[in-house]
Amino acid sequence: MTATAGRPRTATGRRWAAAPSPSFAHLTRLSDDTGLFEHARHAIVRREHGYCTDDVARGLVVVCREPEPTEELLRLAERYLAFLTHAQDASGAFHNRLGYDRRWTDEPGLGDWWGRALWGLGTAVARSPAAWIREEALVAFSRGATRRAAAPHAMAFAGLGAAEVLRRHPGHVAAAALLTAAATTVGAPDSDSRWPWPQQRLTYANAALAEVVIVASQLHTGGPPLDDGLRMLAWLRDVQLRDGRLSVVPAAGWHRGIVRLHHDQQPIEVAAFADACATAAMVTGDPVWDDGVRQAIGWFLGDNDIGTPMWDPQTGGGYDGLTAHGPNLNQGAESTLALISTLQHARRWS
């Protein structure tokens, strides 16, 4: 990223270029009348891989975060919401994978996709300007919020959805209980300052675990100490900074006591970090967390280990991963949604 006079600096002294507005062109390209395709070769949809609830839920999050959505984005929100309600069974569990032939290829379950579905539904409840979207999303969320998953990530995603619901419906008992359960499942940070993370391994979307602890701390009763989530996020930030640039934990993960690799880095990791830092800034009012958001935006714009942009300005798509040799130029749903959600945070300074 080229340094330009007059641009704001982060706490590390690095100049920060103004971020472009998020483009929904590629997201629209990846979507049809059923949902959101999971994969693309370069910018072209690969229909043979079908759809997944994970990505459709992420799609619902980003379109509902738009403060003044266009008619096209409202149609996408309706489409994604219809997909999620179709994926949900009577017990509140969700299918994850739908083939291009419109047949489910799995049984309903409580994996990460259940958590992400509740996150998407909760965001629609809290932020959609369309009453009919908010009402239907609340019905589906309330059904799913009665369930519990064993995995910390699934519970963290679900807890973030619960936090969204509580912003619009503070008395929603099931949402409050789910958020408390999510923070409990993630666990408290370890007392060892060298590795305070509650788990022995960092995997993916790690910052979401810290974020759900932070938002759960705001509950009137039953929430963890705010410092627990902030300690987790501060340590994660520190270990992912390399010469002032964001260098996130790669797809292979990082186990305590093992040498950490630096590739392949995934956009989902950057987006989760941006979300968590934005939440920390909102809760604490501490501008140090704004630097984390800027570093995440910078990663997409080229301020990363390779010094290359991680998106295609012509298509609006995000590249699928940062390898040692440069970007993986495929522009699938997960990476494109990670790009959009990260760029949405730049509105903090607009």
Side-chain angles (χ1 to χ4, degrees):
M1 181 161 40
T2 304
T4 303
R7 289 175 180 164
R9 292 179 181 268
T10 67
T12 62
R14 188 179 304 282
R15 290 188 184 275
W16 181 67
S21 298
S23 167
F24 290 86
H26 192 55
L27 187 64
T28 301
R29 186 180 294 114
L30 293 173
S31 301
D32 67 0
D33 61 354
T34 296
L36 175 60
F37 287 105
E38 183 176 10
H39 293 300
R41 180 182 293 118
H42 294 169
I44 304 303
V45 167
R46 299 193 67 181
R47 292 176 175 171
E48 67 271 24
H49 294 290
Y51 320 81
C52 71
T53 294
D54 250 336
D55 288 332
V56 174
R58 292 184 186 106
L60 188 58
V61 168
V62 300
V63 296
C64 289
R65 281 180 174 178
E66 284 296 293
E68 297 180 358
T70 63
E71 286 297 320
E72 182 177 53
L73 290 186
L74 279 176
R75 286 194 294 271
L76 284 181
E78 289 180 338
R79 205 170 307 161
Y80 297 161
L81 176 58
F83 184 102
L84 295 181
T85 58
H86 179 52
Q88 190 178 38
D89 72 3
S91 75
F94 288 83
H95 291 279
N96 188 34
R97 299 203 168 274
L98 184 71
Y100 186 56
D101 61 0
R102 298 352 183 228
R103 296 175 184 269
W104 294 109
T105 62
D106 63 354
E107 295 299 319
L110 301 176
D112 284 0
W113 59 92
W114 163 81
R116 288 194 190 278
L118 293 187
W119 188 4
L121 293 168
T123 305
V125 169
R127 306 198 194 198
S128 176
W132 63 92
I133 290 177
R134 296 195 305 268
E135 291 163 4
E136 180 63 19
L138 183 60
V139 171
F141 173 87
S142 299
R143 181 180 296 132
T146 63
R147 304 299 302 272
R148 298 291 182 268
H153 279 82
M155 287 296 289
F157 301 143
L160 293 174
E164 292 279 5
V165 170
L166 290 168
R167 291 186 180 110
R168 183 170 285 269
H169 300 286
H172 197 289
V173 175
L178 177 58
L179 181 53
T180 299
T184 300
T185 303
V186 169
D190 194 280
S191 59
D192 186 348
S193 61
R194 295 168 299 178
W195 189 281
W197 203 251
Q199 290 82 38
Q200 297 298 298
R201 184 169 181 263
L202 295 173
T203 53
Y204 60 95
N206 295 293
L209 276 66
E211 184 182 6
V212 81
V213 175
I214 291 170
V215 294
S217 74
Q218 303 305 293
L219 288 168
H220 294 302
T221 58
L226 173 59
D227 189 57
D228 281 4
L230 296 177
R231 279 182 58 209
M232 291 169 61
L233 185 58
W235 177 79
L236 186 64
R237 173 198 62 202
D238 292 346
V239 298
Q240 292 189 129
L241 285 179
R242 192 180 188 193
D243 298 327
R245 295 182 176 88
L246 191 61
S247 180
V248 294
V249 172
W254 180 29
H255 198 284
R256 184 174 187 171
I258 303 297
V259 174
R260 176 182 152 201
L261 303 176
H262 289 280
H263 301 289
D264 297 333
Q265 295 177 32
Q266 302 294 299
I268 184 179
E269 202 64 40
V270 181
F273 182 70
D275 278 355
C277 287
T279 294
M282 177 183 68
V283 169
T284 67
D286 189 341
V288 70
W289 297 111
D290 287 335
D291 286 324
V293 179
R294 292 189 180 101
Q295 285 154 350
I297 293 169
W299 186 91
F300 280 102
L301 300 184
D303 200 15
N304 50 52
D305 286 347
I306 304 298
T308 185
M310 285 299 296
W311 72 300
D312 184 343
Q314 289 188 311
T315 66
Y319 295 140
D320 277 358
L322 182 64
T323 77
H325 308 290
N328 175 341
L329 297 177
N330 293 332
Q331 299 168 38
E334 179 179 282
S335 54
T336 295
L337 291 163
L339 168 70
I340 293 171
S341 69
T342 302
L343 292 179
Q344 285 176 321
H345 290 302
R347 293 196 180 100
R348 293 171 61 81
W349 305 285
S350 61

